[in-house]
Amino acid sequence: MRKIYLVGFMGSGKSVIGRRLSYFLRLPYYDMDREIVRQQGMSIPEIFEKYGEEYFRKLETDFLLNFRDEACIISTGGGVAVNEENRKIMRRTGLVFFLDANFEDIYKRVKNDKNRPIVQKSTKNELEQLYFSRKKYYHLAGHIRVLTENRSIRQIVEYVAFQVNRLKGE
Ligand code: S3P
């Protein structure tokens, strides 16, 4: 079976949904950011500060290219789907779900997060612009779009699991 990737903007619920989906489908779960942090022995803000964003983007593509070949759930970082090569790798090796949340909900979740360098250096307005400029890439990456607004985590997990089971054989 293929991998299940969750893409979407920061704070769209990729990690929470990924973890819960992992119990629901009995598949291992990996958080891409956490894996990169473990491999590098540095936090995301440290990687950004020491080596710059471009280097971090390379680590993301390396991760997608080299991560073990097993059926699993992977929550990606919010910038992963922007890169065409990343989109190709994900679509080739798995099923990609775009978790679509509205900006106000996202902003409430991320605004005080010290572990997200892009949030730290941006105003609300700048983040909103980034959100809209990235949307088309999430659409391009995703096989299936999941509307998360006004849905509970349980409802979202059940919907994704339903789609995974429906598309399993394809
Ligand atoms: C980023 C999102 C973060 C993390 C890094 C950059 C982005 O992941 O990869 O801070 O460019 O949107 P989350 O989406 O898990 O916050």
Side-chain angles (χ1 to χ4, degrees):
M1 202 178 109
R2 294 166 294 173
K3 293 184 168 77
I4 296 163
Y5 294 99
L6 304 177
V7 306
F9 203 73
M10 294 174 265
S12 57
K14 294 167 299 202
S15 306
V16 178
I17 301 295
R19 261 195 309 272
R20 294 278 286 267
L21 194 61
S22 158
Y23 287 112
F24 205 88
L25 292 175
R26 297 199 170 82
L27 284 174
Y29 164 69
Y30 302 97
D31 178 313
M32 200 164 151
D33 281 339
R34 199 177 304 157
E35 293 299 314
I36 290 175
V37 165
R38 212 157 48 87
Q39 282 167 8
Q40 299 297 307
M42 267 185 281
S43 70
I44 304 274
E46 279 167 353
I47 299 171
F48 268 67
E49 205 188 315
K50 202 157 177 211
Y51 298 109
E53 181 172 346
E54 216 175 297
Y55 178 79
F56 176 72
R57 298 302 172 201
K58 211 182 128 346
L59 295 177
E60 292 183 317
T61 304
D62 288 347
F63 173 89
L64 288 176
L65 281 173
N66 300 320
F67 196 62
R68 66 188 74 154
D69 187 15
E70 72 171 355
C72 62
I73 298 159
I74 297 176
S75 63
T76 65
V80 168
V82 174
N83 176 293
E84 189 186 358
E85 186 184 359
N86 293 348
R87 293 197 298 271
K88 279 190 184 150
I89 300 167
M90 291 191 289
R91 289 182 65 95
R92 192 178 63 232
T93 56
L95 250 184
V96 186
F97 289 89
F98 164 27
L99 297 188
D100 195 357
N102 72 55
F103 181 72
E104 287 304 325
D105 285 347
I106 281 178
Y107 190 67
K108 270 186 240 150
R109 293 181 199 137
V110 303
K111 66 178 177 192
N112 294 319
D113 193 337
K114 302 268 177 297
N115 204 32
R116 289 177 162 123
I118 294 184
V119 173
Q120 286 298 302
K121 73 172 173 73
S122 308
T123 62
K124 182 178 181 186
N125 218 306
E126 285 165 345
L127 262 191
E128 188 167 20
Q129 278 177 31
L130 185 67
Y131 169 86
F132 283 109
S133 70
R134 281 182 173 179
K135 216 157 196 186
K136 60 176 173 292
Y137 300 113
Y138 300 135
H139 276 288
L140 284 171
H143 292 105
I144 292 173
R145 172 177 172 231
V146 182
L147 283 171
T148 63
E149 204 177 328
N150 298 324
R151 283 187 177 169
S152 67
I153 291 171
R154 188 179 178 86
Q155 284 173 315
I156 297 166
V157 167
E158 283 177 358
Y159 176 72
V160 174
F162 164 77
Q163 293 291 358
V164 168
N165 287 326
R166 185 175 75 84
L167 295 166
K168 223 181 219 162
E170 290 190 18

